[in-house]
Structure formats: C-alpha cells, structure tokens
Amino acid sequence: MDNIRKKLFFIHTYGCQMNEEDSEKLSGMLKLSGYEKTESKESADLIIFNTCCVRENAELKVFGNLWILKKAKEKNPNLIIAICGCMMQQKDMAQDIIKKFPFVDIIFGTHNAHMLTEYLNTVKQEGKSVIEIWDKEKEIVEGIPIDRGSGIKGFVTIMYGCNNFCTYCVVPYVRGRERSRNPEDIEKEIKELISKGYTEITLLGQNVNSYGKELSPNIDFADLLRRINKIDGIERIRFMTSHPKDLTFKVVEAIRDCEKVCEHIHLPVQSGSSSIIKKMNRHYTKEYYIDLIKKMKKEIPDLALTTDIIVGFPGETEEDFSETLDLVKQVEYDSVFMFLYSLRKGTPAAEMEDQISDEVKHERFNRLVDVVNEICAKKNKEYQGKIVEVLVEGTSKNDETKLMGRTRTSKLVNFTSDEDNIGKIVKVKITKANSFSLYGEEV
Ligand code: SAH
Ligand code: SF4
C-alpha cells in the first residue's frame, strides 16, 4: 500500500517574499518528480525548512523547530529532513547544524536550490546525507516549475541578489551579487500566469530600481514597467523593494503613466537620521528622502507609502531617534514595518562601537509603534465614505460571512459581498477604518 501512496512533502518557509518564491520553486520541482504537498507536518515523508537569517529571531525559530523534528525522526526513521535557504549560506552554519542535529538528511543553499531532486535521489539510493552549499551565484536557472498558492496574485522575480551592502544586512552575503532576468523570460512567466487566471503580479527584487544594469540591449526598471503594462490580461502590477538612492524620476513617471501599476511604493528609509543613514551605507539623507516623497506625491496624487525602519542601530542617540519620529510624522506612511536592530555576524555594523542596549531599543520601538499606529489610523480614516476598487482574495479571517481583498493602494479591506466575487475586482464603499484595516460593503 505504502508504495502506491504518493510521497508527501511539507515546506516551512521563514522570512521574506523571495523565500516564499523559492519555496514555490522547490514545491514545483517536487510535484514534477511525483511528490504531493501536505499542510500537515505529521503526515509528511519529506520536511523542508527554507530558512531566513536577516534577523536573529528568524534563526532562533529554525533551531527551535529543528529540536521538534528530532522527535518526529525518532518516530519515523524514513522521514527525510532538508534545510535550505539564506541561513545555510552563512559561514560554518551547515557544519554547526549537522553537529547539533545529525538527523538532518539534506542541507543546501540559495544558489543550488534547483538541485533538490538530485540530492533526494542520493539520500534515497545511497542512504547518505548530502551537504552542498555553493558559495557563489552562477547563471540564473530558468524554466524551474513554480507551484504558486493563490490563483489570483503571483510573485515574479525580476532580479536576484544585492550589491548594496547596507552595513547591518546579511542579504548580499547570502544571496550573492545582482543578476537581472531577461525581459523575455519575465514576460513569458507573466503570460503563463495570465493563462492560469492570475490578475495581479508583484515584481520582486532586493532593489528593483537597479534592474537591468548588466543586461544588453539596454533596459531599466522604468522600461520594464512600461513593457509589462502592455501585456493584456493583467489588472494590477506591484513591485518591491525600492531603494531610495536608485528610484529615478523616470521610474516615478512610469508609475504615473502605466494604468496597471498600482499607486503604492514600499520605500524603506531605515532611519530618519542622516548620520545613521550614512553609517548604514545607504547613500541618501533625510532631506533627499523627504524631497523624493514630495516629488512622487505630486506626480501620483493617490500614492500610498510604506517603509521599513530599524530601531537601535549602533550609535543611535536619542536625537537620531527623534529624527526618525519626525520623518514618520512628515511622510505620514500608510504602514510601517518596524524592526529592532539585530546584530548579524560578518556585517560591518556588528563591529561598530556603541551597540544599543535591548532596554533602550525596546523603549524606542514602543514609542515608534505608538506614533505609527496613530498616523496609520488617521490615513485609514481618510478612506471612510470613499468607494474603492478591491481585488477579492478570499474569505476574511475575522468573520466568515465577509470577504477580504486589497485596494490598489494595498489597504486590506474586509467587506460583505458574494463569494462568487473571489478573484474579481469589485467596488466597495468604506464604512469603518482602524490602524490596520478597512471595512465596507460592495456597491
Ligand atoms: N532589500 C530590501 C529588504 C531587505 S530585508 C531593502 O533594501 O529594503 C527587509 C528589511 O529587514 C530591511 O528593509 C530592514 O529594515 C530589515 N533588516 C535587515 N537587516 C536587519 C538587521 N540586521 N536588523 C534589523 N532589521 C534588519
Ligand atoms: Fe540588505 Fe540593503 Fe541590499 Fe536591502 S539594499 S537587501 S537592506 S543590503
């Protein structure tokens, strides 16, 4: 009986959309080789942890969950356990893991994820574990099947890696240098998504504004947006992430002109203090950033803005922090992702003096949260009484009778409507708003 049953795999993805997208590829490859996906770890024959190391707590979660797997492996010795992703690219990490968790069968990194099925065959046929990490990126591997979750919104990677080396960040070390995909490959993938009924795509890259630098013939991100905007069948185009130093006026014009490109920019500022921004190696000032926002708001009137902020970067004084609070109040973000600075070994910031105590970090973080929540509530209240276009994603978690979806500006809306509308764009009148979401009725 066991031979007839399809083998089941379970993937736990930690971290960002890039990792989500990588997991969709792992899933695509496994399905092609006869596996089936399960949402229950207990029934799985293969468990994969696709890890993140951008902050320490992401790593701690992986370690914690590996201890739990030890018991699962004792119960079922045939269970195959694989670990991959960003954490594995760090120096000595794979060796440390195999020492602490010798029951792990496969360890691979971000650059050799396309080899998964080969590694599985080695484990199954030769009964030995595989540890293989490529320390450098190679050519982009095209044509890997992608098993996407929703049939409505899809991620499309346009570039891999990062060249920026912000002093706090491990990404350039674990994801390698920038490589852009050819526009033809991107277009082909988008057309496949459309043929499967997808209506919204999000273009992904660590710094999408440096798209195309190494490609020939010449193409930049603004050109790419205009090209994708012409593809029939997509309703909405989003992108992330943008680096303020590379967001040109040409890109702002493209967002303004392309009717499918949504009025939302995620523009991480990280700090409002120019001297901290400098120590972060981000190459802009508070004034430049605010000026950029003003220019963008002028060109794109309904623009929604979101950002990332790190609290407690080494050397951050009370004065630096008050610059951050001031910037947040000036810009009036629609939403802010806030992080406590986390020391990452091997990055320049880890070696900086004046590391900030946890107590001060938490105290500042809480103050920032209060300011942000107040602003976001105010921004959301502006929607009350308005009629907005919502792409319906599914039923709302809060209330089974309601649906949920997002506006073009990426606001979450819970509203009453017919389930037949899932996947469609409907008009909704906003009746209520709080800091995190909007409520309304279909009109
Ligand atoms: N490439 C994107 C996002 C990279 S990681 C960008 O440049 O914006 C996502 C977010 O994690 C970053 O924007 C930053 O705010 C946060 N982050 C990265 N390293 C961190 C660290 N060491 N401690 C705390 N937050 C960090
Ligand atoms: Fe990290 Fe900076 Fe690159 Fe973003 S741009 S991934 S924060 S190094």
mmCIF file of all heavy atoms in Angstrom, residues 202-247:
data_model
loop_
_atom_site.group_PDB
_atom_site.id
_atom_site.type_symbol
_atom_site.label_atom_id
_atom_site.label_comp_id
_atom_site.label_asym_id
_atom_site.label_seq_id
_atom_site.Cartn_x
_atom_site.Cartn_y
_atom_site.Cartn_z
ATOM 1 N N THR A 202 3.335 40.726 -8.607
ATOM 2 C CA THR A 202 4.277 41.575 -7.877
ATOM 3 C C THR A 202 5.676 41.236 -8.360
ATOM 4 O O THR A 202 6.109 40.077 -8.274
ATOM 5 C CB THR A 202 4.166 41.336 -6.350
ATOM 6 O OG1 THR A 202 2.837 41.616 -5.948
ATOM 7 C CG2 THR A 202 5.125 42.239 -5.585
ATOM 8 N N LEU A 203 6.359 42.246 -8.898
ATOM 9 C CA LEU A 203 7.721 42.044 -9.390
ATOM 10 C C LEU A 203 8.666 42.117 -8.190
ATOM 11 O O LEU A 203 8.626 43.074 -7.422
ATOM 12 C CB LEU A 203 8.071 43.130 -10.413
ATOM 13 C CG LEU A 203 7.069 43.283 -11.562
ATOM 14 C CD1 LEU A 203 7.413 44.478 -12.430
ATOM 15 C CD2 LEU A 203 7.034 42.004 -12.404
ATOM 16 N N LEU A 204 9.505 41.098 -8.040
ATOM 17 C CA LEU A 204 10.341 41.010 -6.848
ATOM 18 C C LEU A 204 11.815 41.197 -7.135
ATOM 19 O O LEU A 204 12.342 40.697 -8.130
ATOM 20 C CB LEU A 204 10.213 39.615 -6.222
ATOM 21 C CG LEU A 204 8.979 39.236 -5.430
ATOM 22 C CD1 LEU A 204 9.185 37.853 -4.839
ATOM 23 C CD2 LEU A 204 8.703 40.246 -4.330
ATOM 24 N N GLY A 205 12.476 41.895 -6.231
ATOM 25 C CA GLY A 205 13.935 42.032 -6.265
ATOM 26 C C GLY A 205 14.348 42.759 -5.004
ATOM 27 O O GLY A 205 13.534 43.485 -4.427
ATOM 28 N N GLN A 206 15.577 42.580 -4.545
ATOM 29 C CA GLN A 206 16.019 43.301 -3.336
ATOM 30 C C GLN A 206 16.059 44.799 -3.595
ATOM 31 O O GLN A 206 15.912 45.599 -2.687
ATOM 32 C CB GLN A 206 17.397 42.821 -2.870
ATOM 33 C CG GLN A 206 17.433 41.387 -2.405
ATOM 34 C CD GLN A 206 16.569 41.133 -1.185
ATOM 35 O OE1 GLN A 206 16.106 42.042 -0.518
ATOM 36 N NE2 GLN A 206 16.332 39.868 -0.904
ATOM 37 N N ASN A 207 16.326 45.169 -4.849
ATOM 38 C CA ASN A 207 16.399 46.584 -5.199
ATOM 39 C C ASN A 207 15.983 46.694 -6.666
ATOM 40 O O ASN A 207 16.826 46.817 -7.556
ATOM 41 C CB ASN A 207 17.842 47.065 -4.975
ATOM 42 C CG ASN A 207 18.050 48.495 -5.410
ATOM 43 O OD1 ASN A 207 17.085 49.239 -5.601
ATOM 44 N ND2 ASN A 207 19.293 48.886 -5.573
ATOM 45 N N VAL A 208 14.668 46.659 -6.891
ATOM 46 C CA VAL A 208 14.162 46.563 -8.271
ATOM 47 C C VAL A 208 14.616 47.739 -9.146
ATOM 48 O O VAL A 208 14.691 47.627 -10.365
ATOM 49 C CB VAL A 208 12.617 46.451 -8.347
ATOM 50 C CG1 VAL A 208 12.130 45.114 -7.837
ATOM 51 C CG2 VAL A 208 11.937 47.600 -7.618
ATOM 52 N N ASN A 209 14.944 48.851 -8.499
ATOM 53 C CA ASN A 209 15.339 50.032 -9.283
ATOM 54 C C ASN A 209 16.703 49.901 -9.934
ATOM 55 O O ASN A 209 17.086 50.742 -10.732
ATOM 56 C CB ASN A 209 15.286 51.283 -8.423
ATOM 57 C CG ASN A 209 13.864 51.560 -8.011
ATOM 58 O OD1 ASN A 209 13.065 52.002 -8.812
ATOM 59 N ND2 ASN A 209 13.533 51.223 -6.786
ATOM 60 N N SER A 210 17.453 48.876 -9.579
ATOM 61 C CA SER A 210 18.703 48.696 -10.321
ATOM 62 C C SER A 210 18.550 47.546 -11.324
ATOM 63 O O SER A 210 19.547 47.023 -11.832
ATOM 64 C CB SER A 210 19.898 48.512 -9.389
ATOM 65 O OG SER A 210 19.742 47.347 -8.640
ATOM 66 N N TYR A 211 17.295 47.203 -11.653
ATOM 67 C CA TYR A 211 17.038 46.160 -12.653
ATOM 68 C C TYR A 211 17.731 46.505 -13.978
ATOM 69 O O TYR A 211 17.710 47.658 -14.417
ATOM 70 C CB TYR A 211 15.530 45.996 -12.907
ATOM 71 C CG TYR A 211 15.254 45.063 -14.075
ATOM 72 C CD1 TYR A 211 15.319 43.688 -13.905
ATOM 73 C CD2 TYR A 211 15.007 45.564 -15.359
ATOM 74 C CE1 TYR A 211 15.118 42.825 -14.974
ATOM 75 C CE2 TYR A 211 14.802 44.711 -16.435
ATOM 76 C CZ TYR A 211 14.864 43.343 -16.238
ATOM 77 O OH TYR A 211 14.690 42.499 -17.294
ATOM 78 N N GLY A 212 18.317 45.510 -14.587
ATOM 79 C CA GLY A 212 18.792 45.621 -15.966
ATOM 80 C C GLY A 212 20.186 46.188 -16.150
ATOM 81 O O GLY A 212 20.663 46.265 -17.283
ATOM 82 N N LYS A 213 20.854 46.566 -15.051
ATOM 83 C CA LYS A 213 22.155 47.240 -15.198
ATOM 84 C C LYS A 213 23.136 46.449 -16.048
ATOM 85 O O LYS A 213 23.927 47.023 -16.772
ATOM 86 C CB LYS A 213 22.745 47.543 -13.814
ATOM 87 C CG LYS A 213 22.141 48.811 -13.244
ATOM 88 C CD LYS A 213 22.907 49.374 -12.068
ATOM 89 C CE LYS A 213 22.257 50.695 -11.669
ATOM 90 N NZ LYS A 213 22.217 50.912 -10.240
ATOM 91 N N GLU A 214 23.087 45.114 -15.927
ATOM 92 C CA GLU A 214 24.083 44.317 -16.636
ATOM 93 C C GLU A 214 23.492 43.677 -17.895
ATOM 94 O O GLU A 214 24.138 42.865 -18.544
ATOM 95 C CB GLU A 214 24.715 43.282 -15.692
ATOM 96 C CG GLU A 214 23.847 42.098 -15.260
ATOM 97 C CD GLU A 214 22.663 42.423 -14.336
ATOM 98 O OE1 GLU A 214 22.350 43.598 -14.082
ATOM 99 O OE2 GLU A 214 22.012 41.465 -13.891
ATOM 100 N N LEU A 215 22.269 44.066 -18.267
ATOM 101 C CA LEU A 215 21.648 43.425 -19.431
ATOM 102 C C LEU A 215 21.942 44.191 -20.717
ATOM 103 O O LEU A 215 22.101 45.404 -20.714
ATOM 104 C CB LEU A 215 20.131 43.343 -19.264
ATOM 105 C CG LEU A 215 19.569 42.391 -18.208
ATOM 106 C CD1 LEU A 215 18.051 42.441 -18.229
ATOM 107 C CD2 LEU A 215 20.040 40.955 -18.431
ATOM 108 N N SER A 216 21.986 43.469 -21.807
ATOM 109 C CA SER A 216 22.111 44.115 -23.103
ATOM 110 C C SER A 216 21.155 43.384 -24.054
ATOM 111 O O SER A 216 21.094 42.140 -24.009
ATOM 112 C CB SER A 216 23.570 44.041 -23.543
ATOM 113 O OG SER A 216 23.687 43.682 -24.869
ATOM 114 N N PRO A 217 20.352 44.057 -24.900
ATOM 115 C CA PRO A 217 20.266 45.514 -25.041
ATOM 116 C C PRO A 217 19.762 46.196 -23.759
ATOM 117 O O PRO A 217 19.136 45.563 -22.922
ATOM 118 C CB PRO A 217 19.274 45.706 -26.183
ATOM 119 C CG PRO A 217 18.516 44.424 -26.288
ATOM 120 C CD PRO A 217 19.389 43.351 -25.752
ATOM 121 N N ASN A 218 20.083 47.513 -23.706
ATOM 122 C CA ASN A 218 19.778 48.312 -22.532
ATOM 123 C C ASN A 218 18.314 48.287 -22.128
ATOM 124 O O ASN A 218 17.430 48.461 -22.961
ATOM 125 C CB ASN A 218 20.115 49.780 -22.845
ATOM 126 C CG ASN A 218 21.477 50.105 -22.318
ATOM 127 O OD1 ASN A 218 22.059 49.314 -21.569
ATOM 128 N ND2 ASN A 218 21.990 51.263 -22.685
ATOM 129 N N ILE A 219 18.076 48.093 -20.864
ATOM 130 C CA ILE A 219 16.707 48.190 -20.340
ATOM 131 C C ILE A 219 16.824 48.548 -18.866
ATOM 132 O O ILE A 219 17.736 48.073 -18.183
ATOM 133 C CB ILE A 219 15.920 46.864 -20.550
ATOM 134 C CG1 ILE A 219 14.515 46.966 -19.947
ATOM 135 C CG2 ILE A 219 16.630 45.659 -19.978
ATOM 136 C CD1 ILE A 219 13.516 45.938 -20.442
ATOM 137 N N ASP A 220 15.956 49.420 -18.365
ATOM 138 C CA ASP A 220 15.966 49.696 -16.929
ATOM 139 C C ASP A 220 14.591 49.396 -16.350
ATOM 140 O O ASP A 220 13.688 48.937 -17.069
ATOM 141 C CB ASP A 220 16.430 51.129 -16.625
ATOM 142 C CG ASP A 220 15.508 52.179 -17.199
ATOM 143 O OD1 ASP A 220 14.351 51.832 -17.537
ATOM 144 O OD2 ASP A 220 15.933 53.344 -17.324
ATOM 145 N N PHE A 221 14.418 49.659 -15.063
ATOM 146 C CA PHE A 221 13.172 49.254 -14.412
ATOM 147 C C PHE A 221 11.962 49.990 -14.986
ATOM 148 O O PHE A 221 10.889 49.404 -15.160
ATOM 149 C CB PHE A 221 13.281 49.453 -12.893
ATOM 150 C CG PHE A 221 12.077 48.960 -12.158
ATOM 151 C CD1 PHE A 221 11.650 47.634 -12.285
ATOM 152 C CD2 PHE A 221 11.334 49.803 -11.353
ATOM 153 C CE1 PHE A 221 10.514 47.171 -11.624
ATOM 154 C CE2 PHE A 221 10.195 49.349 -10.681
ATOM 155 C CZ PHE A 221 9.789 48.031 -10.818
ATOM 156 N N ALA A 222 12.156 51.277 -15.304
ATOM 157 C CA ALA A 222 11.044 52.048 -15.869
ATOM 158 C C ALA A 222 10.613 51.428 -17.204
ATOM 159 O O ALA A 222 9.413 51.262 -17.471
ATOM 160 C CB ALA A 222 11.462 53.504 -16.064
ATOM 161 N N ASP A 223 11.599 51.058 -18.037
ATOM 162 C CA ASP A 223 11.275 50.425 -19.331
ATOM 163 C C ASP A 223 10.515 49.113 -19.098
ATOM 164 O O ASP A 223 9.556 48.800 -19.814
ATOM 165 C CB ASP A 223 12.548 50.087 -20.124
ATOM 166 C CG ASP A 223 13.409 51.315 -20.386
ATOM 167 O OD1 ASP A 223 12.838 52.418 -20.493
ATOM 168 O OD2 ASP A 223 14.654 51.174 -20.460
ATOM 169 N N LEU A 224 10.978 48.361 -18.102
ATOM 170 C CA LEU A 224 10.347 47.065 -17.828
ATOM 171 C C LEU A 224 8.887 47.260 -17.409
ATOM 172 O O LEU A 224 7.990 46.540 -17.869
ATOM 173 C CB LEU A 224 11.117 46.311 -16.733
ATOM 174 C CG LEU A 224 10.589 44.903 -16.423
ATOM 175 C CD1 LEU A 224 10.941 43.921 -17.546
ATOM 176 C CD2 LEU A 224 11.138 44.371 -15.105
ATOM 177 N N LEU A 225 8.648 48.249 -16.535
ATOM 178 C CA LEU A 225 7.268 48.514 -16.100
ATOM 179 C C LEU A 225 6.381 48.828 -17.306
ATOM 180 O O LEU A 225 5.274 48.311 -17.436
ATOM 181 C CB LEU A 225 7.225 49.695 -15.128
ATOM 182 C CG LEU A 225 7.587 49.427 -13.667
ATOM 183 C CD1 LEU A 225 7.493 50.718 -12.860
ATOM 184 C CD2 LEU A 225 6.686 48.361 -13.040
ATOM 185 N N ARG A 226 6.900 49.702 -18.197
ATOM 186 C CA ARG A 226 6.096 50.087 -19.373
ATOM 187 C C ARG A 226 5.828 48.870 -20.259
ATOM 188 O O ARG A 226 4.746 48.721 -20.826
ATOM 189 C CB ARG A 226 6.803 51.194 -20.165
ATOM 190 C CG ARG A 226 6.743 52.537 -19.433
ATOM 191 C CD ARG A 226 7.357 53.661 -20.243
ATOM 192 N NE ARG A 226 7.517 54.863 -19.453
ATOM 193 C CZ ARG A 226 6.574 55.800 -19.284
ATOM 194 N NH1 ARG A 226 5.415 55.675 -19.887
ATOM 195 N NH2 ARG A 226 6.803 56.852 -18.530
ATOM 196 N N ARG A 227 6.826 48.005 -20.377
ATOM 197 C CA ARG A 227 6.675 46.813 -21.226
ATOM 198 C C ARG A 227 5.634 45.859 -20.629
ATOM 199 O O ARG A 227 4.765 45.354 -21.347
ATOM 200 C CB ARG A 227 8.055 46.130 -21.294
ATOM 201 C CG ARG A 227 8.154 45.048 -22.278
ATOM 202 C CD ARG A 227 9.599 44.772 -22.597
ATOM 203 N NE ARG A 227 9.695 43.465 -23.218
ATOM 204 C CZ ARG A 227 10.763 43.007 -23.800
ATOM 205 N NH1 ARG A 227 11.848 43.741 -23.832
ATOM 206 N NH2 ARG A 227 10.784 41.816 -24.344
ATOM 207 N N ILE A 228 5.693 45.645 -19.325
ATOM 208 C CA ILE A 228 4.754 44.711 -18.682
ATOM 209 C C ILE A 228 3.342 45.299 -18.679
ATOM 210 O O ILE A 228 2.356 44.575 -18.805
ATOM 211 C CB ILE A 228 5.236 44.368 -17.251
ATOM 212 C CG1 ILE A 228 6.559 43.602 -17.334
ATOM 213 C CG2 ILE A 228 4.208 43.528 -16.502
ATOM 214 C CD1 ILE A 228 7.220 43.324 -16.022
ATOM 215 N N ASN A 229 3.262 46.602 -18.554
ATOM 216 C CA ASN A 229 1.954 47.278 -18.547
ATOM 217 C C ASN A 229 1.166 47.003 -19.838
ATOM 218 O O ASN A 229 -0.054 47.060 -19.854
ATOM 219 C CB ASN A 229 2.168 48.779 -18.355
ATOM 220 C CG ASN A 229 0.882 49.519 -18.075
ATOM 221 O OD1 ASN A 229 0.197 49.224 -17.114
ATOM 222 N ND2 ASN A 229 0.534 50.456 -18.932
ATOM 223 N N LYS A 230 1.919 46.694 -20.919
ATOM 224 C CA LYS A 230 1.244 46.467 -22.219
ATOM 225 C C LYS A 230 0.679 45.057 -22.342
ATOM 226 O O LYS A 230 -0.056 44.769 -23.289
ATOM 227 C CB LYS A 230 2.265 46.680 -23.353
ATOM 228 C CG LYS A 230 2.603 48.136 -23.576
ATOM 229 C CD LYS A 230 3.245 48.324 -24.944
ATOM 230 C CE LYS A 230 3.860 49.707 -25.057
ATOM 231 N NZ LYS A 230 5.335 49.679 -25.138
ATOM 232 N N ILE A 231 1.050 44.159 -21.421
ATOM 233 C CA ILE A 231 0.592 42.771 -21.563
ATOM 234 C C ILE A 231 -0.907 42.699 -21.246
ATOM 235 O O ILE A 231 -1.343 43.136 -20.185
ATOM 236 C CB ILE A 231 1.377 41.829 -20.610
ATOM 237 C CG1 ILE A 231 2.885 41.932 -20.874
ATOM 238 C CG2 ILE A 231 0.890 40.393 -20.746
ATOM 239 C CD1 ILE A 231 3.745 41.104 -19.937
ATOM 240 N N ASP A 232 -1.686 42.133 -22.174
ATOM 241 C CA ASP A 232 -3.134 42.011 -21.952
ATOM 242 C C ASP A 232 -3.410 40.970 -20.883
ATOM 243 O O ASP A 232 -2.754 39.936 -20.843
ATOM 244 C CB ASP A 232 -3.829 41.535 -23.251
ATOM 245 C CG ASP A 232 -3.972 42.690 -24.212
ATOM 246 O OD1 ASP A 232 -3.962 43.845 -23.743
ATOM 247 O OD2 ASP A 232 -4.070 42.423 -25.425
ATOM 248 N N GLY A 233 -4.407 41.263 -20.055
ATOM 249 C CA GLY A 233 -4.838 40.234 -19.096
ATOM 250 C C GLY A 233 -4.424 40.503 -17.660
ATOM 251 O O GLY A 233 -5.025 39.945 -16.748
ATOM 252 N N ILE A 234 -3.426 41.334 -17.437
ATOM 253 C CA ILE A 234 -3.100 41.660 -16.035
ATOM 254 C C ILE A 234 -3.924 42.874 -15.662
ATOM 255 O O ILE A 234 -4.120 43.780 -16.469
ATOM 256 C CB ILE A 234 -1.644 42.124 -15.800
ATOM 257 C CG1 ILE A 234 -0.662 41.364 -16.630
ATOM 258 C CG2 ILE A 234 -1.272 42.075 -14.326
ATOM 259 C CD1 ILE A 234 0.726 41.950 -16.448
ATOM 260 N N GLU A 235 -4.389 42.880 -14.417
ATOM 261 C CA GLU A 235 -5.151 44.033 -13.935
ATOM 262 C C GLU A 235 -4.274 44.929 -13.082
ATOM 263 O O GLU A 235 -4.442 46.138 -13.052
ATOM 264 C CB GLU A 235 -6.340 43.563 -13.082
ATOM 265 C CG GLU A 235 -7.300 42.633 -13.802
ATOM 266 C CD GLU A 235 -8.182 43.366 -14.789
ATOM 267 O OE1 GLU A 235 -8.252 44.595 -14.724
ATOM 268 O OE2 GLU A 235 -8.780 42.682 -15.646
ATOM 269 N N ARG A 236 -3.372 44.300 -12.301
ATOM 270 C CA ARG A 236 -2.570 45.079 -11.357
ATOM 271 C C ARG A 236 -1.111 44.643 -11.376
ATOM 272 O O ARG A 236 -0.824 43.446 -11.387
ATOM 273 C CB ARG A 236 -3.094 44.879 -9.942
ATOM 274 C CG ARG A 236 -4.424 45.536 -9.691
ATOM 275 C CD ARG A 236 -4.853 45.232 -8.265
ATOM 276 N NE ARG A 236 -6.027 46.018 -7.894
ATOM 277 C CZ ARG A 236 -6.528 46.046 -6.676
ATOM 278 N NH1 ARG A 236 -5.960 45.354 -5.718
ATOM 279 N NH2 ARG A 236 -7.595 46.786 -6.410
ATOM 280 N N ILE A 237 -0.233 45.647 -11.328
ATOM 281 C CA ILE A 237 1.205 45.371 -11.254
ATOM 282 C C ILE A 237 1.736 46.042 -9.984
ATOM 283 O O ILE A 237 1.486 47.235 -9.756
ATOM 284 C CB ILE A 237 1.952 45.934 -12.479
ATOM 285 C CG1 ILE A 237 1.390 45.347 -13.782
ATOM 286 C CG2 ILE A 237 3.459 45.669 -12.370
ATOM 287 C CD1 ILE A 237 1.833 46.085 -15.038
ATOM 288 N N ARG A 238 2.441 45.263 -9.165
ATOM 289 C CA ARG A 238 3.112 45.831 -7.987
ATOM 290 C C ARG A 238 4.582 45.468 -8.072
ATOM 291 O O ARG A 238 4.986 44.615 -8.877
ATOM 292 C CB ARG A 238 2.533 45.242 -6.694
ATOM 293 C CG ARG A 238 1.046 45.472 -6.507
ATOM 294 C CD ARG A 238 0.618 44.968 -5.120
ATOM 295 N NE ARG A 238 -0.808 45.031 -4.940
ATOM 296 C CZ ARG A 238 -1.486 46.134 -4.628
ATOM 297 N NH1 ARG A 238 -0.839 47.271 -4.452
ATOM 298 N NH2 ARG A 238 -2.789 46.105 -4.469
ATOM 299 N N PHE A 239 5.374 46.058 -7.201
ATOM 300 C CA PHE A 239 6.806 45.729 -7.196
ATOM 301 C C PHE A 239 7.383 46.013 -5.826
ATOM 302 O O PHE A 239 6.877 46.846 -5.081
ATOM 303 C CB PHE A 239 7.558 46.545 -8.262
ATOM 304 C CG PHE A 239 7.371 48.023 -8.120
ATOM 305 C CD1 PHE A 239 8.213 48.776 -7.332
ATOM 306 C CD2 PHE A 239 6.326 48.661 -8.767
ATOM 307 C CE1 PHE A 239 8.023 50.145 -7.189
ATOM 308 C CE2 PHE A 239 6.120 50.023 -8.634
ATOM 309 C CZ PHE A 239 6.977 50.769 -7.838
ATOM 310 N N MET A 240 8.434 45.291 -5.476
ATOM 311 C CA MET A 240 9.184 45.577 -4.266
ATOM 312 C C MET A 240 10.522 44.849 -4.296
ATOM 313 O O MET A 240 10.610 43.803 -4.908
ATOM 314 C CB MET A 240 8.397 45.228 -3.008
ATOM 315 C CG MET A 240 8.103 43.758 -2.818
ATOM 316 S SD MET A 240 7.048 43.478 -1.416
ATOM 317 C CE MET A 240 8.017 44.106 -0.080
ATOM 318 N N THR A 241 11.585 45.412 -3.709
ATOM 319 C CA THR A 241 11.634 46.617 -2.913
ATOM 320 C C THR A 241 12.393 47.703 -3.672
ATOM 321 O O THR A 241 13.260 47.390 -4.480
ATOM 322 C CB THR A 241 12.376 46.321 -1.592
ATOM 323 O OG1 THR A 241 11.678 45.317 -0.872
ATOM 324 C CG2 THR A 241 12.460 47.548 -0.731
ATOM 325 N N SER A 242 12.098 48.956 -3.346
ATOM 326 C CA SER A 242 12.805 50.071 -3.981
ATOM 327 C C SER A 242 13.810 50.659 -3.008
ATOM 328 O O SER A 242 13.513 50.812 -1.829
ATOM 329 C CB SER A 242 11.810 51.173 -4.335
ATOM 330 O OG SER A 242 10.932 50.722 -5.318
ATOM 331 N N HIS A 243 14.978 50.997 -3.506
ATOM 332 C CA HIS A 243 15.981 51.681 -2.673
ATOM 333 C C HIS A 243 15.910 53.166 -3.029
ATOM 334 O O HIS A 243 15.999 53.526 -4.204
ATOM 335 C CB HIS A 243 17.369 51.121 -2.984
ATOM 336 C CG HIS A 243 18.418 51.522 -1.989
ATOM 337 N ND1 HIS A 243 18.659 52.840 -1.669
ATOM 338 C CD2 HIS A 243 19.272 50.788 -1.246
ATOM 339 C CE1 HIS A 243 19.624 52.890 -0.763
ATOM 340 N NE2 HIS A 243 20.010 51.652 -0.483
ATOM 341 N N PRO A 244 15.759 54.047 -2.017
ATOM 342 C CA PRO A 244 15.600 55.480 -2.320
ATOM 343 C C PRO A 244 16.707 56.051 -3.204
ATOM 344 O O PRO A 244 16.447 56.921 -4.035
ATOM 345 C CB PRO A 244 15.624 56.141 -0.936
ATOM 346 C CG PRO A 244 15.232 55.057 0.013
ATOM 347 C CD PRO A 244 15.706 53.768 -0.579
ATOM 348 N N LYS A 245 17.924 55.547 -3.068
ATOM 349 C CA LYS A 245 19.029 56.128 -3.850
ATOM 350 C C LYS A 245 18.881 55.831 -5.353
ATOM 351 O O LYS A 245 19.437 56.546 -6.178
ATOM 352 C CB LYS A 245 20.393 55.643 -3.333
ATOM 353 C CG LYS A 245 20.774 54.242 -3.760
ATOM 354 C CD LYS A 245 22.189 53.893 -3.353
ATOM 355 C CE LYS A 245 22.487 52.422 -3.447
ATOM 356 N NZ LYS A 245 22.393 51.785 -4.737
ATOM 357 N N ASP A 246 18.152 54.789 -5.706
ATOM 358 C CA ASP A 246 18.056 54.389 -7.114
ATOM 359 C C ASP A 246 16.700 54.659 -7.750
ATOM 360 O O ASP A 246 16.480 54.325 -8.916
ATOM 361 C CB ASP A 246 18.359 52.882 -7.260
ATOM 362 C CG ASP A 246 19.789 52.556 -6.891
ATOM 363 O OD1 ASP A 246 20.679 53.294 -7.335
ATOM 364 O OD2 ASP A 246 20.009 51.586 -6.140
ATOM 365 N N LEU A 247 15.770 55.215 -6.970
ATOM 366 C CA LEU A 247 14.433 55.465 -7.519
ATOM 367 C C LEU A 247 14.472 56.759 -8.339
ATOM 368 O O LEU A 247 14.442 57.852 -7.794
ATOM 369 C CB LEU A 247 13.406 55.581 -6.386
ATOM 370 C CG LEU A 247 11.964 55.711 -6.846
ATOM 371 C CD1 LEU A 247 11.432 54.401 -7.387
ATOM 372 C CD2 LEU A 247 11.071 56.164 -5.706
#
